[in-house]
Amino acid sequence: MLMKSMRVAVLIRVSTEKQEKKGESLHNQLRQIEAVVDRLGGTISHVYGGQEHATPGWERKELNSLLKDAQRDPKPFDAVMVYDASRWSRDNAE
């Protein structure tokens, strides 16, 4: 169980513009993560996401922003949550 003060950053992502514009995937990912974070007693402090390819070689502005923020001091969040591991990346070199 998370502690009440646990601040969670959320990364939601779809791969194509069509999924972003016509689908409910981003909304559904966020809703399900919100429910889990609430159940665990944490709070969502930052939401990153949108349409980004996870394929190596594609620019990942939202992921890069999350990684940059994770290096800040003081830290703006304590943990990162994704809906599914495939939403994180297909290239974990970064």
Side-chain angles (χ1 to χ4, degrees), residues 24-50:
E24 288 289 315
S25 184
L26 292 173
H27 177 75
N28 290 338
Q29 289 176 50
L30 182 57
R31 281 293 192 227
Q32 290 190 31
I33 291 172
E34 286 172 336
V36 171
V37 171
D38 184 57
R39 189 168 54 246
L40 294 173
T43 59
I44 294 176
S45 62
H46 289 73
V47 176
Y48 302 87

Side-chain angles (χ1 to χ4, degrees), residues 14-69:
V14 293
S15 297
T16 69
E17 291 178 18
K18 182 178 177 183
Q19 290 172 321
E20 180 181 32
K21 291 177 183 174
K22 296 198 177 199
E24 288 289 315
S25 184
L26 292 173
H27 177 75
N28 290 338
Q29 289 176 50
L30 182 57
R31 281 293 192 227
Q32 290 190 31
I33 291 172
E34 286 172 336
V36 171
V37 171
D38 184 57
R39 189 168 54 246
L40 294 173
T43 59
I44 294 176
S45 62
H46 289 73
V47 176
Y48 302 87
Q51 183 270 317
E52 292 187 327
H53 289 276
T55 306
W58 288 84
E59 184 176 26
R60 298 281 312 273
K61 289 181 183 179
E62 289 295 304
L63 176 61
N64 291 339
S65 181
L66 182 153
L67 294 174
K68 183 177 178 183
D69 288 349

Side-chain angles (χ1 to χ4, degrees), residues 79-91:
V80 176
M81 188 174 287
V82 295
Y83 172 77
D84 181 87
S86 68
R87 302 299 84 200
W88 178 252
S89 180
R90 286 177 173 57
D91 174 23

